[in-house]
């Protein structure tokens, strides 16, 4: 993982699975290759294997359970997503919240398997506590802006700057910003405010021209990171 | 779906995914073909696609969420499992219990998609209420016997006979029995008591020779169904 | 329990506890006594004892857990609410949903203790399954109308008539209707459509003059029941 | 709150409510008065009011919900427990776990109301993250020892010493130790290892002579704290 970090969460949108998922993934892959920037896509568990065969993108699960091998019908284990081709997973997304002890246990398991982790959280006050658990990155998303089209970097820039201050208290954890990010400018602003990258979903998944949207994001992310250095 | 119904739940055992899952599935497939009996395997979401490519067995998910397309990070939709090659799903397994309204919504969604459903339940008193929701089958499993090696058909035969009485109040719903089933004799007894088939997990997944265990189950299931007619 | 059944759910409104709860309860008690009609109030667990000392109304809990005596920190047992003066409890309110096996276990426990039960549900398709568990009453509330001020009896009368048809399949279970009920006319209509009574919350708890609102409800409920006979 | 802190969790034991709860509370009160040491009792929500009238002990709830006033049937708000006479609450007990954002929100609400808080946790690695949220105290309890009769201070002393090291990273948060504490010696040892007090449940609630048990605990707690200074 290396900034700028671009994470696209497929959620359970109509194009998150099946042929449509492969189609949009190939468009994202094209931008990733053109710009030489790895892009993370976070996909339904059923699609991890197929997409890992079809595209050269960094494939994440959207959630993993923290239980171990055994009698756990319906659980998705870290070992299972790794076996299918995932390089990591989101954890604690606001649409799939888990408890602190579950985050802790899942992170421990994932580290042992060499899997990356992005832990999501709603409020900057919880960034430091979660950073102590040493995920690879924390993705902060004010829930009221998720899917709103109003970007966190414009509407609530202080959430990003405060979260950046908090995450710096623990070395080695990246900070991503998300919620409402729609334009390349939103991405640029987020990184300027100190974020190491961004998380998006609807802006890409519901776009008429996702290729163009991702290109705009990537170009601005590179520009913002370059300026920072 | 047609009796005798044999459902093997892979749970999250070490051989529920990866190469080991393909290996055991091929052994099960062999018995299925030799005896001309379809066998249901209920597998982790990450494995549905791969196994549907590798073996001619009836592939089920272990759980589906009842939400619809949209912003539902981490959810597994009926549409997703169907797209990956599943023919149906378990619902409400005692290791992944959901609420009545969720069972109802999931069943409605699955029927519209032509997916089969097996709803699990702990006690025979709840068989009639659940049968009213018209799943394809109900799998009754006294929780204290799950994984115990002490078969429901021997230890608590009255649970099966009562469940059979209850399920008959709603035409068109099959009754499977599970929990502790270890030998072909357990299977024979369960069907003799009125069950249309059985659900197993550890007896197969942890067997030294799973092929032999499944063969014993299938042969006895056929014998019991033949005798019934 | 005898129609017309009037159930007022205090929820967690500002006047659901403390002096304000006693004040509004005394107003409700006045109407109950004037009209000779018992009224059920469903109150926070912390208030059961105090209100049972202060007013002659039928006091219900808003929820009970189905666990038994033992190491269950934070659980509210049927025995606890009974000891404090409750005569029964709501179960499975759409704001506190529980699973089918939990409803079943809680009802079994409550019956043994002589406690009444009102099980809430969202859709009429689930009325028959729940009626089989033999609660004293089922309260049907289309969730989109709860707290809306648009009464179920006007906006979706077919929900009530269908629920009434369903509940009649099991003798001895009453059917209450709720969601959006605001005026005496709404109450009258609900009972005319076949309901044995109604459930309300915000219309009373947020009223400027709750006494007048409850009087309007009670008078219309009596009139509708009289007409039915 | 001031060391030595003695917290007795009534859980849902048979004597956690009703006359038996008053009886045992009066015995605890006697020791509290004799030794001039305040004792915290954590009681079912239904009993907060009654016990606050009957005994001079520090009464805690066993759990509070983090929601605000409004349509939240079945929720116990911080305002409700305060109104009934509670001085604080346990949060996140291993038998009533909640999420990190819920702990954070509940603590914020409780502080505004002047309520004390004891957050429970299973493993020392999570002590520092939780201490950052500034509860009054953290109670560490290895789950495998809860109710075991094998004291954390003897079986796993390193859990206490590590937790003490962690809690010191955030000034102003006390550390309590619990799980399996049965004798005064267990209490003495826990405080010697650096704990500011202890949490117990079954050792008192299931004792033949609870008065004697509590006296043994209190005497040893005082002795250990004296020695520390």
């Amino acid at each position: 993982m290396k900034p700028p970090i671009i994470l696209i969460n497929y959620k359970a949108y109509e194009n998150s699975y099946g042929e449509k998922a492969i189609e949009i993934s190939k468009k994202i892959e094209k931008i990733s290759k053109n710009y030489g920037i790895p892009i993370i896509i976070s996909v339904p568990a059923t699609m991890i294997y197929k997409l890992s065969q079809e595209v050269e993108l960094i494939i994440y699960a959207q959630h993993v359970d923290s239980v171990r091998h055994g009698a756990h019908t319906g659980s998705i284990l870290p070992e299972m997503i790794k076996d299918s081709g995932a390089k990591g997973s989101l954890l604690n997304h606001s649409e799939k919240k888990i408890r602190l002890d579950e985050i802790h246990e899942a992170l421990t398991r994932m580290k042992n398997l060499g899997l990356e982790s992005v832990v999501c959280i709603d409020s900057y006050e919880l960034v430091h506590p979660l950073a102590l658990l040493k995920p690879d990155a924390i993705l902060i998303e004010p829930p009221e802006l998720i899917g709103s089209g109003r970007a966190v970097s414009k509407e609530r820039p202080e959430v990003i700057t405060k979260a950046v201050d908090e995450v710096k208290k623990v070395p080695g954890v990246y900070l991503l910003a998300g919620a409402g990010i729609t334009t390349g400018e939103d991405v640029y602003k987020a990184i300027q405010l100190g974020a190491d990258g961004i998380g998006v979903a609807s802006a890409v998944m519901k776009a008429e021209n996702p290729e163009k949207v991702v290109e705009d994001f990537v170009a601005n992310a590179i520009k913002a990171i370059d300026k920072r250095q």
Side-chain angles (χ1 to χ4, degrees), chain A residues 3-74:
Chain A
I5 300 154
I6 310 284
L7 186 153
I8 302 171
N9 183 3
Y10 283 27
K11 298 195 174 183
Y13 291 119
E14 287 198 37
N15 50 352
S16 67
Y17 63 93
E19 280 311 307
K20 286 180 182 171
I22 293 171
E23 196 186 308
I24 195 170
S25 301
K26 287 196 181 291
K27 288 176 182 172
I28 297 169
E29 182 190 34
K30 204 160 140 190
I31 306 301
S32 170
K33 289 189 171 170
N34 285 353
Y35 284 80
I37 290 283
I39 294 177
I40 302 167
I41 59 172
S42 169
V43 308
T46 53
M47 289 299 294
I48 295 172
Y49 175 70
K50 220 191 262 188
L51 285 169
S52 74
Q53 301 297 309
E54 296 276 354
V55 292
E56 284 179 43
L57 291 165
I58 300 172
I59 305 205
Y60 270 36
Q62 295 179 357
H63 166 79
V64 287
D65 294 295
S66 52
V67 294
R68 292 167 188 279
H69 285 132
H72 302 293
T73 301

Side-chain angles (χ1 to χ4, degrees), chain A residues 1 5 117-120 134-139 172-176:
Chain A
M1 222 182 231
I5 300 154
S117 54
V118 174
V119 176
C120 307
K134 292 277 194 169
D136 291 284
I138 290 174
L139 168 55
V173 182
Y174 290 121
L175 191 279
L176 312 185

